[in-house]
């Protein structure tokens, strides 16, 4: 089983719908992140959390919210999805005191019609 | 603020040849880290190599080496003896200081031709 698991892996939804992407990890890392990838734009940070009580906005947090339910779980929500939120979403973890290397989930491909 | 620039949207290389993927960065931090990740067409992100700003030697991992030129703020990835399986998107990323957020470049799509 993957160390960082994202569900769902693929989702098609309609404009205005609420969507939740879930991430769970078995690596025991404190730090968790949500990135989105768009063609030609690389990966951009949406939100990050350095422990259960710590939530921080990244560079593109508008239209998104997150919840850190436990050390191992970090969920990303789109309250009212819009087509330009169509993207590949990655959850990642890193270990406190490490080089900062990110360990990624397999990605969640979201399409908003 | 940190910035990563990858100026090559696409690169082509013949199998068994070496290829260099360019990455330049900008930061005001004295301590920082540089990373390269590979993303094959299947979509997963694979860590390749890391270089710390205080590391005096260039990092190497098998066929991958990082050509770190601190004064020029460049961290180019060199892949020796390219293989067909090296065809993928490659991302350069950096972490600034004690900030554990990685900033990514836009990526370079490498195609290895037989």
């Amino acid at each position: 089983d993957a160390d960082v698991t994202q569900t769902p892996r693929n989702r098609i939804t309609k404009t205005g719908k609420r969507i939740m992407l879930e991430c769970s990890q078995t690596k025991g890392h404190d730090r968790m992140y949500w990135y989105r990838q768009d063609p030609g734009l690389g990966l951009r940070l949406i939100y990050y959390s350095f422990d259960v009580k710590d939530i921080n906005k990244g560079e593109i947090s508008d239209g998104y919210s997150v919840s850190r339910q436990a050390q191992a779980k970090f969920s990303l929500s789109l309250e009212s999805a819009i087509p330009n939120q169509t993207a590949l979403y990655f959850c990642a973890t890193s270990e406190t005191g490490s080089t900062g290397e990110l360990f990624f989930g397999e990605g969640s491909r979201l399409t908003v019609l | 603020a940190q910035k990563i620039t990858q100026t090559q949207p696409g690169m082509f290389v013949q199998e068994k040849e070496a290829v260099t993927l360019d990455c330049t960065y900008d930061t005001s931090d004295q301590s920082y880290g540089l990373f390269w990740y590979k993303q094959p067409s299947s979509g997963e992100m694979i860590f390749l190599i890391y270089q710390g700003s205080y590391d005096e030697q260039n990092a190497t991992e098998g066929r991958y080496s990082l050509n770190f030129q601190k004064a020029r703020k460049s961290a180019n990835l060199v892949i020796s003896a390219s293989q067909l399986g090296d065809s993928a998107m490659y991302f350069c990323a950096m972490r600034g200081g004690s900030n554990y957020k990685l900033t990514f470049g836009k990526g370079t799509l490498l195609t290895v031709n037989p």
Side-chain angles (χ1 to χ4, degrees):
Chain A
D1 288 341
D3 294 325
V4 183
T5 303
Q6 293 182 230
T7 56
R9 295 289 312 282
N10 289 283
R11 183 72 181 268
I12 300 173
T13 191
K14 295 182 178 180
T15 297
K17 295 291 188 181
R18 183 177 188 274
I19 294 295
M20 178 180 287
L21 305 180
E22 298 184 323
C23 177
S24 63
Q25 53 116 346
T26 58
K27 299 192 74 66
H29 292 168
D30 288 327
R31 301 168 186 248
M32 299 188 73
Y33 310 78
W34 277 104
Y35 283 87
R36 69 176 275 177
Q37 182 182 5
D38 299 277
L41 295 180
L43 280 75
R44 293 179 292 166
L45 183 62
I46 307 172
Y47 271 96
Y48 61 103
S49 168
F50 285 173
D51 65 41
V52 175
K53 297 181 180 179
D54 175 76
I55 301 288
N56 303 281
K57 293 183 178 180
E59 60 180 304
I60 55 163
S61 59
D62 286 349
Y64 300 95
S65 62
V66 291
S67 173
R68 185 80 183 265
Q69 301 96 322
Q71 187 209 33
K73 296 184 181 294
F74 193 36
S75 300
L76 176 72
S77 293
L78 290 67
E79 296 300 327
S80 180
I82 56 176
N84 77 359
Q85 291 177 315
T86 293
L88 180 60
Y89 291 84
F90 283 103
C91 176
T93 72
S94 72
E95 184 176 18
T96 302
S98 70
T99 61
E101 177 189 345
L102 293 179
F103 295 82
F104 285 88
E106 294 169 305
S108 296
R109 187 167 296 279
L110 176 65
T111 302
V112 184
L113 301 176
Chain B
Q2 301 154 46
K3 185 176 181 180
I4 291 283
T5 303
Q6 295 181 253
T7 57
Q8 307 153 315
M11 288 281 288
F12 292 88
V13 66
Q14 289 297 123
E15 194 177 8
K16 299 182 184 178
E17 292 185 352
V19 62
T20 298
L21 306 184
D22 294 341
C23 174
T24 59
Y25 60 91
D26 191 23
T27 182
S28 57
D29 292 312
Q30 295 300 310
S31 173
Y32 51 88
L34 296 154
F35 303 79
W36 278 91
Y37 283 84
K38 172 184 178 181
Q39 185 181 42
S41 58
S42 51
E44 71 268 31
M45 295 289 288
I46 302 168
F47 166 75
L48 294 178
I49 197 165
Y50 168 79
Q51 178 86 39
S53 59
Y54 292 123
D55 295 340
E56 294 185 354
Q57 302 281 344
N58 285 343
T60 60
E61 291 285 351
R63 294 185 300 110
Y64 304 108
S65 60
L66 198 153
N67 184 1
F68 181 47
Q69 298 188 44
K70 197 169 183 177
R72 299 180 62 183
K73 292 190 174 180
S74 73
N76 299 339
L77 178 70
V78 180
I79 305 174
S80 63
S82 297
Q83 301 173 356
L84 296 178
D86 294 333
S87 292
M89 182 72 79
Y90 290 80
F91 292 101
C92 181
M94 78 172 296
R95 166 190 56 76
S98 59
N99 179 337
Y100 277 76
K101 302 181 294 179
L102 262 63
T103 300
F104 285 81
K106 295 183 178 181
T108 296
L109 181 62
L110 177 66
T111 302
V112 180
N113 294 317

